[in-house]
Amino acid sequence: LTRTFSLALSEASSGTWPISANGTSGIVLGSAAADNIALTGTMGTVDLTGLTNTLTNTARTLYGNLTLPAGLTLSSGTSATTFAATSGTKTITTNGRTLDFPISFDGLGGTWALQDALTQGSTRAFTLTNGTVQLQSGTTNTVGSFLTTGTHIKYLQATTPGAQATISQASGAVNVSYLYIKDSAATGGATWTAVLPTSADQGNNTGWIFTLPNYYWRGGNGVWNASNATPWSGKIGRAHV
């Protein structure tokens, strides 16, 4: 049996409808261990403390905090959990659960502070589009594939300024843009490259390569050290950058 809770809350209204296992307000799921739980749609804070059910893999968007208890089983799948708050600091607590599904951060102005180490399935994307992700200082956080999208500046930090958090990806080439990075130790078998000038090294980082992109002379007359980009292209055969 799967109990499905489908919500369509706005960010403004989501705060009055928290989801919990055994709370006294909002949406109370109960704790029947034989039932699978499906949470789908847009919602606020989700605190599943006390549940020993299986949380199925469905597409969901959270505007609040997320707490996963150690006894919870998480189904794997391709549907993403998106964190979309646009203000304040929200917390994410996984209690050692492996998130074998894509996760995305897309809230311009939002901050998400991880309370413990994050472990993600090896084939799943960790996508940062907008906002600030703060990994717990002193922990190693394992992602499937780390990605950035969009042209807004976003931030990768640690929860304690000056104390690094480690991010690890087993293989591949990580290439990020529009990402300001601080207190981050990048490791694993992957190479970690942040493309300048849209990205920035804000200090206390290791394992990251901060590099300018290649530019190509596009032909014709021009000054090699021109202050404008007109003689140059970011790709061979392109008329301009």
Side-chain angles (χ1 to χ4, degrees):
L1 176 65
T2 297
R3 289 186 289 159
T4 299
F5 299 83
S6 181
L7 294 90
L9 301 177
S10 67
E11 183 174 9
S13 65
S14 65
T16 61
W17 291 97
I19 298 174
S20 65
N22 298 292
T24 58
S25 63
I27 300 169
V28 180
L29 304 180
S31 56
D35 296 345
N36 294 332
I37 300 293
L39 297 177
T40 185
T42 54
M43 59 203 71
T45 287
V46 175
D47 183 354
L48 302 182
T49 299
L51 286 187
T52 56
N53 310 59
T54 294
L55 181 66
T56 64
N57 177 240
T58 56
R60 61 183 72 94
T61 297
L62 275 66
Y63 293 119
N65 306 322
L66 174 65
T67 302
L68 302 174
L72 186 71
T73 298
L74 298 177
S75 294
S76 61
T78 59
S79 296
T81 293
T82 299
F83 299 93
T86 59
S87 63
T89 298
K90 311 305 179 184
T91 61
I92 300 172
T93 307
T94 61
N95 279 307
R97 302 298 84 200
T98 296
L99 279 57
D100 193 11
F101 47 80
I103 56 177
S104 175
F105 299 86
D106 189 5
L108 190 62
T111 298
W112 298 273
L114 277 72
Q115 303 302 290
D116 50 14
L118 173 74
T119 302
Q120 190 181 27
S122 61
T123 63
R124 309 305 182 188
F126 179 111
T127 305
L128 178 51
T129 300
N130 288 302
T132 299
V133 172
Q134 297 178 336
L135 303 178
Q136 180 68 29
S137 293
T139 65
T140 297
N141 301 269
T142 303
V143 300
S145 58
F146 186 89
L147 306 169
T148 58
T149 62
T151 57
H152 288 117
I153 299 299
K154 50 276 225 170
Y155 301 86
L156 179 65
Q157 302 172 349
T159 53
T160 302
Q164 283 186 332
T166 298
I167 186 165
S168 178
Q169 181 175 312
S171 62
V174 177
N175 291 280
V176 300
S177 300
Y178 299 94
L179 183 64
Y180 284 25
I181 307 167
K182 184 177 182 181
D183 297 325
S184 177
T187 187
T191 57
W192 295 80
T193 303
V195 179
L196 304 173
T198 61
S199 295
D201 179 356
Q202 295 199 300
N204 195 30
N205 298 307
T206 56
W208 285 94
I209 302 167
F210 293 88
T211 183
L212 286 166
N214 292 323
Y215 287 100
Y216 303 93
W217 188 258
R218 65 181 180 86
N221 297 322
V223 180
W224 284 94
N225 63 348
S227 59
N228 63 70
T230 302
W232 300 95
S233 174
K235 293 182 180 180
I236 295 175
R238 293 290 295 271
H240 54 78
V241 175

mmCIF file of all heavy atoms in Angstrom, residues 45-66:
data_model
loop_
_atom_site.group_PDB
_atom_site.id
_atom_site.type_symbol
_atom_site.label_atom_id
_atom_site.label_comp_id
_atom_site.label_asym_id
_atom_site.label_seq_id
_atom_site.Cartn_x
_atom_site.Cartn_y
_atom_site.Cartn_z
ATOM 1 N N THR A 45 8.238 22.538 4.948
ATOM 2 C CA THR A 45 9.135 21.715 5.740
ATOM 3 C C THR A 45 8.636 20.274 5.788
ATOM 4 O O THR A 45 7.448 20.018 5.955
ATOM 5 C CB THR A 45 9.258 22.275 7.168
ATOM 6 O OG1 THR A 45 10.057 23.475 7.115
ATOM 7 C CG2 THR A 45 9.912 21.284 8.117
ATOM 8 N N VAL A 46 9.585 19.338 5.646
ATOM 9 C CA VAL A 46 9.272 17.911 5.722
ATOM 10 C C VAL A 46 10.168 17.298 6.795
ATOM 11 O O VAL A 46 11.393 17.258 6.647
ATOM 12 C CB VAL A 46 9.490 17.201 4.373
ATOM 13 C CG1 VAL A 46 9.276 15.697 4.519
ATOM 14 C CG2 VAL A 46 8.577 17.783 3.307
ATOM 15 N N ASP A 47 9.563 16.827 7.876
ATOM 16 C CA ASP A 47 10.292 16.179 8.970
ATOM 17 C C ASP A 47 9.704 14.788 9.169
ATOM 18 O O ASP A 47 8.607 14.638 9.702
ATOM 19 C CB ASP A 47 10.179 17.004 10.252
ATOM 20 C CG ASP A 47 10.984 16.409 11.409
ATOM 21 O OD1 ASP A 47 11.542 15.302 11.251
ATOM 22 O OD2 ASP A 47 11.058 17.058 12.465
ATOM 23 N N LEU A 48 10.434 13.780 8.729
ATOM 24 C CA LEU A 48 9.935 12.409 8.767
ATOM 25 C C LEU A 48 10.482 11.629 9.961
ATOM 26 O O LEU A 48 10.442 10.387 9.962
ATOM 27 C CB LEU A 48 10.280 11.701 7.452
ATOM 28 C CG LEU A 48 9.727 12.385 6.189
ATOM 29 C CD1 LEU A 48 10.084 11.579 4.947
ATOM 30 C CD2 LEU A 48 8.224 12.599 6.276
ATOM 31 N N THR A 49 10.963 12.333 10.960
ATOM 32 C CA THR A 49 11.496 11.688 12.159
ATOM 33 C C THR A 49 10.468 10.715 12.739
ATOM 34 O O THR A 49 9.304 11.064 12.938
ATOM 35 C CB THR A 49 11.853 12.746 13.212
ATOM 36 O OG1 THR A 49 12.856 13.614 12.680
ATOM 37 C CG2 THR A 49 12.375 12.096 14.487
ATOM 38 N N GLY A 50 10.915 9.488 12.988
ATOM 39 C CA GLY A 50 10.038 8.474 13.549
ATOM 40 C C GLY A 50 9.506 7.486 12.543
ATOM 41 O O GLY A 50 9.011 6.417 12.921
ATOM 42 N N LEU A 51 9.609 7.805 11.250
ATOM 43 C CA LEU A 51 9.105 6.889 10.238
ATOM 44 C C LEU A 51 10.111 5.787 9.922
ATOM 45 O O LEU A 51 11.321 6.032 9.842
ATOM 46 C CB LEU A 51 8.784 7.643 8.951
ATOM 47 C CG LEU A 51 7.535 8.524 8.913
ATOM 48 C CD1 LEU A 51 7.312 9.037 7.496
ATOM 49 C CD2 LEU A 51 6.306 7.791 9.408
ATOM 50 N N THR A 52 9.613 4.578 9.732
ATOM 51 C CA THR A 52 10.431 3.469 9.258
ATOM 52 C C THR A 52 9.854 2.916 7.957
ATOM 53 O O THR A 52 10.105 1.775 7.591
ATOM 54 C CB THR A 52 10.501 2.356 10.318
ATOM 55 O OG1 THR A 52 9.172 1.945 10.659
ATOM 56 C CG2 THR A 52 11.223 2.846 11.571
ATOM 57 N N ASN A 53 9.080 3.736 7.283
ATOM 58 C CA ASN A 53 8.459 3.365 6.014
ATOM 59 C C ASN A 53 9.474 3.452 4.880
ATOM 60 O O ASN A 53 10.657 3.708 5.085
ATOM 61 C CB ASN A 53 7.303 4.317 5.685
ATOM 62 C CG ASN A 53 6.347 4.499 6.831
ATOM 63 O OD1 ASN A 53 6.745 4.931 7.905
ATOM 64 N ND2 ASN A 53 5.080 4.204 6.615
ATOM 65 N N THR A 54 8.966 3.285 3.663
ATOM 66 C CA THR A 54 9.717 3.557 2.447
ATOM 67 C C THR A 54 9.168 4.824 1.813
ATOM 68 O O THR A 54 7.962 4.928 1.568
ATOM 69 C CB THR A 54 9.617 2.395 1.448
ATOM 70 O OG1 THR A 54 10.263 1.245 1.999
ATOM 71 C CG2 THR A 54 10.290 2.755 0.128
ATOM 72 N N LEU A 55 10.037 5.789 1.571
ATOM 73 C CA LEU A 55 9.654 6.999 0.850
ATOM 74 C C LEU A 55 9.942 6.767 -0.618
ATOM 75 O O LEU A 55 11.098 6.563 -1.010
ATOM 76 C CB LEU A 55 10.427 8.207 1.367
ATOM 77 C CG LEU A 55 10.100 9.550 0.698
ATOM 78 C CD1 LEU A 55 8.664 9.967 0.998
ATOM 79 C CD2 LEU A 55 11.076 10.638 1.164
ATOM 80 N N THR A 56 8.897 6.760 -1.437
ATOM 81 C CA THR A 56 9.069 6.447 -2.846
ATOM 82 C C THR A 56 9.707 7.624 -3.589
ATOM 83 O O THR A 56 9.694 8.764 -3.125
ATOM 84 C CB THR A 56 7.727 6.085 -3.501
ATOM 85 O OG1 THR A 56 6.862 7.230 -3.451
ATOM 86 C CG2 THR A 56 7.076 4.922 -2.770
ATOM 87 N N ASN A 57 10.247 7.332 -4.761
ATOM 88 C CA ASN A 57 10.889 8.361 -5.572
ATOM 89 C C ASN A 57 9.855 9.057 -6.445
ATOM 90 O O ASN A 57 9.318 8.478 -7.385
ATOM 91 C CB ASN A 57 11.987 7.743 -6.446
ATOM 92 C CG ASN A 57 12.630 8.763 -7.369
ATOM 93 O OD1 ASN A 57 12.596 8.628 -8.583
ATOM 94 N ND2 ASN A 57 13.204 9.799 -6.803
ATOM 95 N N THR A 58 9.550 10.298 -6.097
ATOM 96 C CA THR A 58 8.636 11.121 -6.872
ATOM 97 C C THR A 58 9.235 12.511 -6.995
ATOM 98 O O THR A 58 10.095 12.912 -6.190
ATOM 99 C CB THR A 58 7.252 11.231 -6.201
ATOM 100 O OG1 THR A 58 7.429 11.740 -4.866
ATOM 101 C CG2 THR A 58 6.558 9.881 -6.143
ATOM 102 N N ALA A 59 8.786 13.261 -7.985
ATOM 103 C CA ALA A 59 9.230 14.644 -8.134
ATOM 104 C C ALA A 59 8.593 15.489 -7.045
ATOM 105 O O ALA A 59 7.370 15.460 -6.854
ATOM 106 C CB ALA A 59 8.869 15.169 -9.511
ATOM 107 N N ARG A 60 9.425 16.255 -6.332
ATOM 108 C CA ARG A 60 8.904 17.108 -5.257
ATOM 109 C C ARG A 60 9.749 18.362 -5.156
ATOM 110 O O ARG A 60 10.955 18.344 -5.445
ATOM 111 C CB ARG A 60 8.875 16.357 -3.925
ATOM 112 C CG ARG A 60 10.218 15.890 -3.436
ATOM 113 C CD ARG A 60 10.111 15.091 -2.129
ATOM 114 N NE ARG A 60 9.536 13.791 -2.322
ATOM 115 C CZ ARG A 60 10.251 12.683 -2.519
ATOM 116 N NH1 ARG A 60 11.575 12.747 -2.557
ATOM 117 N NH2 ARG A 60 9.670 11.516 -2.674
ATOM 118 N N THR A 61 9.111 19.447 -4.731
ATOM 119 C CA THR A 61 9.804 20.712 -4.508
ATOM 120 C C THR A 61 9.565 21.139 -3.071
ATOM 121 O O THR A 61 8.417 21.197 -2.622
ATOM 122 C CB THR A 61 9.294 21.795 -5.471
ATOM 123 O OG1 THR A 61 9.601 21.405 -6.820
ATOM 124 C CG2 THR A 61 9.954 23.136 -5.185
ATOM 125 N N LEU A 62 10.651 21.441 -2.355
ATOM 126 C CA LEU A 62 10.568 21.825 -0.947
ATOM 127 C C LEU A 62 10.961 23.287 -0.788
ATOM 128 O O LEU A 62 11.993 23.726 -1.314
ATOM 129 C CB LEU A 62 11.489 20.966 -0.084
ATOM 130 C CG LEU A 62 10.954 19.618 0.419
ATOM 131 C CD1 LEU A 62 10.717 18.659 -0.740
ATOM 132 C CD2 LEU A 62 11.916 19.005 1.441
ATOM 133 N N TYR A 63 10.144 24.024 -0.019
ATOM 134 C CA TYR A 63 10.474 25.400 0.339
ATOM 135 C C TYR A 63 11.014 25.506 1.767
ATOM 136 O O TYR A 63 11.408 26.598 2.181
ATOM 137 C CB TYR A 63 9.230 26.284 0.215
ATOM 138 C CG TYR A 63 8.732 26.448 -1.202
ATOM 139 C CD1 TYR A 63 7.462 26.013 -1.561
ATOM 140 C CD2 TYR A 63 9.528 27.047 -2.175
ATOM 141 C CE1 TYR A 63 6.994 26.170 -2.859
ATOM 142 C CE2 TYR A 63 9.073 27.201 -3.471
ATOM 143 C CZ TYR A 63 7.797 26.765 -3.812
ATOM 144 O OH TYR A 63 7.341 26.922 -5.095
ATOM 145 N N GLY A 64 11.005 24.417 2.506
ATOM 146 C CA GLY A 64 11.424 24.451 3.905
ATOM 147 C C GLY A 64 12.569 23.519 4.190
ATOM 148 O O GLY A 64 13.381 23.189 3.315
ATOM 149 N N ASN A 65 12.641 23.048 5.451
ATOM 150 C CA ASN A 65 13.690 22.139 5.890
ATOM 151 C C ASN A 65 13.347 20.706 5.495
ATOM 152 O O ASN A 65 12.182 20.362 5.272
ATOM 153 C CB ASN A 65 13.859 22.208 7.408
ATOM 154 C CG ASN A 65 14.088 23.622 7.906
ATOM 155 O OD1 ASN A 65 14.774 24.416 7.261
ATOM 156 N ND2 ASN A 65 13.499 23.953 9.036
ATOM 157 N N LEU A 66 14.371 19.857 5.474
ATOM 158 C CA LEU A 66 14.167 18.425 5.234
ATOM 159 C C LEU A 66 14.917 17.637 6.289
ATOM 160 O O LEU A 66 16.118 17.835 6.482
ATOM 161 C CB LEU A 66 14.665 18.028 3.844
ATOM 162 C CG LEU A 66 14.630 16.514 3.543
ATOM 163 C CD1 LEU A 66 13.189 15.995 3.529
ATOM 164 C CD2 LEU A 66 15.333 16.206 2.218
#
